[in-house]
Amino acid sequence: MDMAHYESCYRHWIAGQEAGLAELEAASANAAAGRATDAELRAVVERCMLGYQDYATRRRALSREDGAAFFAPPWCTAFENSLLWLGGCRPSLTVRLLYNISGEGLEAQVEEMLGGLTHGVIPTGALGITSAQLLLINDLHSRTVHQENALTDRLATLQEDIADRPLLPIVRQRGELAAAAARQGGAVRGSCGGAVRRLGVGAAGPGGGADAAVDAALDSYEAALARLLVEADELRMATSRTLATEILTPRQAVEMLAAGKHLHLAVREWSRRREAGAAAAQQQLNGPSAGTADSSTSATVRRIGTHE
């Protein structure tokens, strides 16, 4: 399996994130200066949403070959992978992010209202979220968390099922046969030898009976992971699109989407910098006598450095 296609898909996505952030920040500045109409801001938001959809479509196609690759992608750092939920960010995180940025400046507005400086204007925070919008956001948040939990439960069931059958019985049978072979001094003969051959112990490739069963179980598991990834991506898309195009104003949507991209890219940069720093520190600790291992670490540092 060629991981280059998967990494290329991710790099294309990151390039789109960077370009999209620049466009969103420019749109935000134009809106603040009164140089952007709602129609222009909606067009920027729609291009952003199309970028999300394009990435989800690419992932769907690649997941048919290896659904597990997106759950702990080797092209991400360990820290980035620790934040993943079903191959990406939690959809509810988008709502939490909106809560955070909309609350900026709210405390100062409340103080002004209490001091009689706002002439009865209700505080709405930095984004100007209205009470009607807040009700819609809260409802969306509740529904999103419910759907997240359902997908999480399905993943847990999937993991439990594959450990239960058929893998555990095969592992136990192989262990018993290996123990029997060891008791006979490694010379497996007679009925035990026949049983070993039937279970595929020592068989090269998937031709053995047990190996075929294992491969079938792993294939089924990866296919199920791919389906979960697609559903999780659909939930991520639906949550973002509902917020950006149905609940928020165009200017509010621009601010939310920009904040999300900024956070994603910042976490990526910080984690890669830490990983590169740790690799460099290990290289110094090993010293020049580390030989080939030292060279390998240097290559790792250079590889990580090219990603920043």
Side-chain angles (χ1 to χ4, degrees):
M1 184 178 304
D2 186 5
M3 280 289 109
H5 292 301
Y6 293 77
E7 187 165 355
S8 175
C9 173
Y10 179 72
R11 289 184 178 279
H12 182 272
W13 161 242
I14 290 298
Q17 287 283 81
E18 293 169 342
L21 176 59
E23 183 179 23
L24 287 165
E25 288 180 334
S28 175
N30 288 335
R35 296 193 300 267
T37 65
D38 279 356
E40 291 170 335
L41 296 177
R42 285 193 192 95
V44 173
V45 169
E46 186 57 31
R47 281 193 291 273
C48 180
M49 300 311 301
L50 289 175
Y52 287 143
Q53 185 61 63
D54 176 68
Y55 183 50
T57 300
R58 290 168 179 262
R59 279 157 57 98
R60 178 197 293 261
L62 289 172
S63 69
R64 296 191 187 104
E65 182 180 349
D66 185 0
F70 291 100
F71 284 73
W75 50 85
C76 291
T77 65
F79 184 82
E80 287 176 289
N81 285 342
S82 74
L83 299 175
L84 294 182
W85 172 84
L86 294 180
C89 71
R90 284 184 174 273
S92 58
L93 180 62
T94 304
V95 184
R96 292 289 297 272
L97 180 66
L98 179 60
Y99 284 147
N100 283 327
I101 60 176
S102 64
E104 294 174 356
L106 186 60
E107 183 177 352
Q109 291 179 2
V110 170
E111 290 178 355
E112 290 178 356
M113 182 186 70
L114 295 177
L117 301 178
T118 58
H119 306 290
V121 176
I122 302 299
T124 56
L127 289 186
I129 299 293
T130 66
S131 57
Q133 286 178 312
L134 189 58
L135 287 174
L136 294 173
I137 294 168
N138 289 342
D139 179 65
L140 176 64
H141 189 202
S142 177
R143 288 186 282 113
T144 300
V145 169
H146 178 75
Q147 291 172 282
E148 280 181 2
N149 290 340
L151 289 173
T152 299
D153 289 345
R154 284 173 54 191
L155 176 61
T157 299
L158 184 64
Q159 292 169 334
E160 292 165 359
D161 287 348
I162 194 171
D164 182 24
R165 286 186 179 278
L167 297 188
L168 181 59
I170 292 175
V171 169
R172 291 175 65 87
Q173 288 173 325
R174 287 190 172 189
E176 292 169 359
L177 290 171
R183 286 195 297 270
Q184 296 182 29
V188 182
R189 294 182 295 273
S191 61
C192 184
V196 171
R197 286 191 294 274
R198 285 195 301 275
L199 283 171
V201 176
D211 287 341
V214 169
D215 285 341
L218 296 184
D219 288 344
S220 176
Y221 180 73
E222 288 190 346
L225 287 180
R227 290 192 293 272
L228 281 176
L229 176 72
V230 169
E231 291 186 50
D233 279 350
E234 289 174 348
L235 181 57
R236 282 184 272 265
M237 273 293 305
T239 303
S240 295
R241 181 169 284 282
T242 299
L243 284 171
T245 65
E246 298 179 22
I247 297 178
L248 301 178
T249 67
R251 184 172 179 181
Q252 290 169 340
V254 164
E255 298 297 337
M256 179 196 73
L257 293 171
K261 289 182 185 294
H262 198 174
L263 178 62
H264 174 207
L265 293 172
V267 168
R268 178 176 182 271
E269 178 186 354
W270 294 335
S271 64
R272 288 173 186 271
R273 186 185 305 160
R274 282 171 60 88
E275 190 172 275
Q282 186 62 48
Q283 179 184 4
Q284 289 184 342
L285 184 63
N286 291 339
S289 61
T292 57
D294 187 63
S295 299
S296 175
T297 303
S298 299
T300 301
V301 174
R302 289 193 298 272
R303 175 176 56 80
I304 295 172
T306 60
H307 292 174
E308 294 195 59

